[in-house]
Amino acid sequence: AGAQTPKTITWNGVANWLAEMDLSKYVETFQEHEVADVDVVRELSENDLKEMGISAIGARRKIMVGVKSLKEGNVVNVLL
């Protein structure tokens, strides 16, 4: 298998990112903890999510999949 081209991900803010995963209910939590920009989100760990009070395992898993794709993808920050 050859090297895959990184997927292009458009970053349009944490609220939109969470909404794409049907996790809009966590927007306030991210804001409270000042987790807003893509560089901060990209570095989130599962432990960070627990500390933020996101206790639902399913939500944490979805968020971590999203974080992984931000790390591996080619992020286009449309907010800049």
Side-chain angles (χ1 to χ4, degrees):
Q4 285 188 307
T5 306
K7 185 180 169 194
T8 298
I9 298 160
T10 302
W11 178 259
N12 194 14
V14 76
N16 288 306
W17 181 71
L18 287 167
E20 285 171 20
M21 296 182 287
D22 291 324
L23 295 171
S24 291
K25 71 180 186 176
Y26 293 109
V27 170
E28 248 178 57
T29 303
F30 274 67
Q31 289 170 341
E32 276 171 36
H33 292 273
E34 297 178 21
V35 178
D37 93 27
V38 68
D39 296 325
V40 175
V41 172
R42 211 185 262 149
E43 297 303 316
L44 284 174
S45 69
E46 191 143 0
N47 214 42
D48 292 333
L49 299 177
K50 286 178 189 171
E51 283 185 32
M52 288 166 61
I54 300 171
S55 57
I57 291 172
R60 287 202 312 261
R61 291 266 178 261
K62 276 185 177 179
I63 292 167
M64 290 314 299
V65 167
V67 167
K68 185 172 186 263
S69 67
L70 287 175
K71 283 182 181 175
E72 295 173 355
N74 178 21
V75 178
V76 178
N77 191 341
V78 297
L79 299 179
L80 295 179

